[in-house]
Amino acid sequence: MHLAAGRAALFPAPLVLTLALLLSTPLWVAQVGLYQYLALEIMIWMMFALGFNLLLGFTGLPSFGHGAYFGIGAYAFGLLQLRVWPNLWFDLVGAVLVATVLGALVALFISHKRGIYYALLTIAFGQVFWFIANKWHTVTGGEDGLLSIKRLPADFGFVSFSLASNDALFYFCLAAFALVLVALWRLVHSPLGRVLSAIKQNETRAAFVGYNVWLYKWLAFTLSAGVAGLAGALFAMAQQSAYPNVMSLHNSGFVVMMVLIGGGLVSFWGPVIGATFFILARDLLGVYTETWLLWYGLLFMALVIFKPDGIAGIWQGWMARWRRRPPGAASTVSAAMLAAAVRGGADEAV
């Protein structure tokens, strides 16, 4: 189960390992037949999935239209750059604020609902945003989307870094990802995180003990939308464009599959595993067949049916069985093997 209760390490081993692996990708990714942009894309989707899991995995709120806020962040970044001020920090912060504010407005209308009604409302609002992006040609470019979005330099005043190359953008996004990762880790292990977990376990009981459930559900949705907006803005930088399909129900389904197949319902690290697995499966299976999503879908169905806790759940189950082994089991086995070997040697001598 989630480790939302108790005292958590500031920098746990999985966090350090995740950042170390991402940081080292320029050294080995080409040697295994992949490319640097793939690591960049995986990292952006990890961020999106971690923010989404704040809702689904930790608060138990099924949002099936969350791709809308990812797309809002992408469009807001592009529009601010092309029509207001082409400054990286202004555009990034503006994109996050726009996604957060719109997420907060949607949360006002849906936070009093639960279960299937909550899920259907998230789909409805998501489709509204997708329709606007698709049809408001004068602002969003319609089906053609926003083109010519630039990778603006990161200007710190005393020094400026170009983000034009995939490697430079990767390191910039890695810094943003690290901040989000640490912030979300601390959040879910804070008193706020424990309240969210209580709402997931039993919303009625959480209300009875005095928590304002509506407010906490509103806050979880708002924060999740803000993280999605940041991921979307970085995605727009990476793609140098923004298209309506990033806001589609189809795209919203991808992040749900990432969280579930990775094991986000039982582990904070499930979305990290799921995003990596999904993007790699897309690229590796896509080499052999155009119907890669069919095979991924079949794998997803099998995992949900037989191992609903996902990849992280499989790992946790294996580790739990290992820890339950009797303390002397390993030494007993070793002694038995040694005795058998001695007997065999004696028989040969005779």
Side-chain angles (χ1 to χ4, degrees):
M1 296 301 291
H2 284 302
L3 300 178
R7 194 171 186 83
L10 181 59
F11 298 107
L15 186 150
V16 175
L17 179 62
T18 299
L19 295 180
L21 281 174
L22 288 170
L23 183 63
S24 67
T25 52
L27 303 177
W28 54 264
V29 71
Q31 279 66 38
V32 298
L34 301 175
Y35 47 97
Q36 188 59 43
Y37 182 83
L38 184 65
L40 173 61
E41 189 176 0
I42 288 173
M43 186 167 54
I44 291 172
W45 279 94
M46 281 181 183
M47 183 187 297
F48 182 24
L50 283 165
F52 173 74
N53 199 45
L54 184 65
L55 269 185
L56 182 62
F58 283 93
T59 319
L61 301 176
S63 174
F64 297 142
H66 226 62
Y69 310 100
F70 184 83
I72 287 168
Y75 271 100
F77 180 84
L79 288 170
L80 288 170
Q81 179 188 129
L82 297 172
R83 302 195 179 189
V84 183
W85 184 24
N87 176 277
L88 177 64
W89 308 117
F90 175 81
D91 299 339
L92 270 181
V93 172
V96 174
L97 286 177
V98 170
T100 302
V101 169
L102 289 177
L105 290 175
V106 170
L108 289 175
F109 292 95
I110 68 175
S111 295
H112 63 289
K113 298 293 184 183
R114 66 173 69 179
I116 188 63
Y117 302 104
Y118 188 95
L120 290 174
L121 282 173
T122 62
I123 294 173
F125 277 103
Q127 288 300 96
V128 167
F129 290 126
W130 172 82
F131 183 82
I132 292 172
N134 212 35
K135 298 300 181 181
W136 199 0
H137 293 267
T138 57
V139 175
T140 64
E143 294 180 358
D144 295 331
L146 292 178
L147 305 176
S148 302
I149 296 176
K150 294 179 175 59
R151 297 180 177 181
L152 300 170
D155 188 357
F156 294 92
F158 60 93
V159 65
S160 179
F161 297 99
S162 172
L163 302 180
S165 69
N166 285 338
D167 286 344
L169 183 61
F170 172 81
Y171 287 119
F172 177 79
C173 292
L174 178 59
F177 175 74
L179 292 174
V180 170
L181 184 61
V182 172
L184 288 174
W185 172 257
R186 297 308 304 165
L187 188 150
V188 300
H189 291 92
S190 68
L192 172 60
R194 289 191 283 273
V195 174
L196 298 182
S197 294
I199 292 172
K200 176 187 175 182
Q201 295 298 324
N202 194 315
E203 185 175 326
T204 303
R205 186 177 298 172
F208 281 163
V209 298
Y211 292 114
N212 187 338
V213 170
W214 181 92
L215 179 62
Y216 282 103
K217 289 168 66 175
W218 175 86
L219 184 59
F221 193 97
T222 301
L223 291 173
S224 181
V227 175
L230 175 58
L234 297 176
F235 190 70
M237 286 183 67
Q239 295 271 309
Q240 296 181 276
S241 57
Y243 296 99
N245 68 331
V246 299
M247 307 179 73
S248 66
L249 191 59
H250 191 68
N251 221 39
S252 298
F254 286 162
V255 74
V256 175
M257 286 197 292
M258 289 176 188
V259 168
L260 293 181
I261 204 167
L265 297 183
V266 298
S267 172
F268 176 86
W269 308 105
V272 173
I273 300 169
T276 305
F277 186 84
F278 181 89
I279 301 297
L280 288 178
R282 182 199 67 187
D283 277 44
L284 297 178
L285 290 176
V287 172
Y288 301 101
T289 175
E290 294 182 358
T291 60
W292 69 271
L293 195 54
L294 169 65
W295 299 105
Y296 184 89
L298 292 173
L299 176 62
F300 175 78
M301 290 167 57
L303 195 64
V304 168
I305 292 171
F306 298 107
K307 294 291 183 181
D309 288 342
I311 297 172
I314 294 172
W315 171 259
Q316 289 179 354
W318 184 81
M319 290 299 294
R321 287 194 297 272
W322 178 262
R323 294 192 188 98
R324 284 199 298 268
R325 291 180 60 186
S331 58
T332 302
V333 171
S334 300
M337 292 175 64
L338 179 61
V342 170
R343 284 197 302 271
D347 291 341
E348 288 181 4
V350 172

